[in-house]
């Protein structure tokens, strides 16, 4: 898939924003496939990712150390609004060119990282809250290729867990989830 990052973000955000809008307050304490986060903490983390990757699109530094509480007031609407700002940031001329932020990584690779965060964490949240989640097949193909290259570094940084074994019949999305350290068969406890 040779789409722009902003277009890929639109596809990933369409599904993830739908999941986030449907999360009920009583589901915020539910566990997720991302073991270190419950639903509340994972949505908060995804907010932080979305805001910081807006800065990275503009070639500015990000601040993942600051973790303000985002789940107050009309947080579902704010999540959707910040996602629109993220898409707009990556649609600006030059966003995919050169390197970005203190990461000093190719901008397109950094953009693929946020696309992956939206898709994979969207699945995490859907699973945790009993919602359907069917990712776009072409987007998954791009992420399998990008994350396959990033996986060793991501594991060293603690961003991905150890790969989970999957059967030969695993589809591309199950393969992607397993690559990031998730059990594609995870179910709510």
């Amino acid at each position: 898939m040779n789409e722009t990052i902003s277009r890929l973000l639109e596809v990933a955000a369409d599904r993830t924003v739908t999941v986030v809008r449907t999360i009920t307050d009583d589901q915020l304490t539910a566990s997720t496939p991302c073991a270190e986060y419950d639903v509340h903490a994972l949505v908060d983390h995804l907010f932080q990712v979305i805001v910081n990757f807006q800065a990275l699109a503009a070639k500015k530094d990000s601040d993942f150390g600051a973790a303000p509480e985002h789940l107050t007031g009309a947080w579902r609407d704010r999540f959707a609004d910040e996602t629109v700002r993220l898409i707009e940031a990556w649609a600006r001329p030059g966003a995919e060119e050169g390197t970005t932020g203190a990461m000093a990584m190719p901008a397109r690779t950094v953009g693929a990282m946020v696309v992956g965060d939206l898709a994979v964490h969207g699945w995490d949240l859907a699973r945790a809250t009993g919602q359907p989640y069917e990712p776009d097949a072409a987007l998954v193909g791009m992420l399998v290729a990008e994350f396959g290259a990033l996986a060793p570094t991501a594991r060293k940084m603690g961003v991905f867990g150890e790969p989970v074994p999957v059967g030969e019949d695993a589809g591309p999305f199950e393969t992607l989830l397993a690559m990031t350290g998730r059990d594609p068969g995870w179910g709510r406890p």
Side-chain angles (χ1 to χ4, degrees):
M1 184 177 216
N2 198 14
E3 296 271 1
T4 63
I5 293 297
S6 62
R7 176 67 188 124
L8 294 168
L9 284 168
E10 286 176 7
V11 172
D14 178 58
R15 288 155 173 85
T16 300
V17 167
T18 299
V19 168
V20 168
R21 283 191 181 280
T22 309
I23 294 171
T24 61
D25 289 344
D26 64 319
Q27 292 173 322
L28 292 174
T29 58
S31 59
T32 73
C34 200
E36 63 271 18
Y37 296 113
D38 64 7
V39 170
H40 181 281
L42 187 55
V43 174
D44 219 27
H45 165 73
L46 200 48
F47 254 113
Q48 185 182 31
V49 166
I50 289 168
V51 170
N52 277 288
F53 276 80
Q54 290 173 40
L56 290 169
K59 310 296 190 274
K60 297 177 182 173
D61 287 336
S62 57
D63 182 6
F64 284 95
E69 169 64 41
H70 293 101
L71 277 63
T72 59
W75 61 268
R76 294 166 187 85
D77 292 334
R78 280 197 326 279
F79 183 88
D81 293 345
E82 289 296 344
T83 303
V84 168
R85 286 186 195 85
L86 175 70
I87 294 164
E88 290 169 350
W90 282 95
R92 290 189 185 102
E96 291 188 43
E97 297 169 8
T99 58
T100 185
M103 300 170 105
M105 294 175 71
R108 176 121 179 134
T109 299
V110 172
M113 291 166 61
V114 73
V115 171
D117 267 9
L118 273 175
V120 172
H121 287 322
W123 177 84
D124 289 333
L125 291 167
R127 275 296 169 113
T129 59
Q131 298 182 55
Y133 189 87
E134 187 63 39
D136 178 83
L139 182 138
V140 170
M142 181 279 293
L143 289 174
V144 167
E146 288 283 344
F147 279 22
L150 286 171
T153 302
R155 280 190 199 94
K156 286 179 188 172
M157 296 173 61
V159 177
F160 287 3
E162 288 302 313
V164 173
V166 291
E168 290 181 15
D169 61 338
F173 192 56
E174 288 81 12
T175 301
L176 174 67
L177 293 170
M179 184 187 313
T180 66
R182 286 165 175 78
D183 175 0
W186 188 92
R188 293 184 294 168

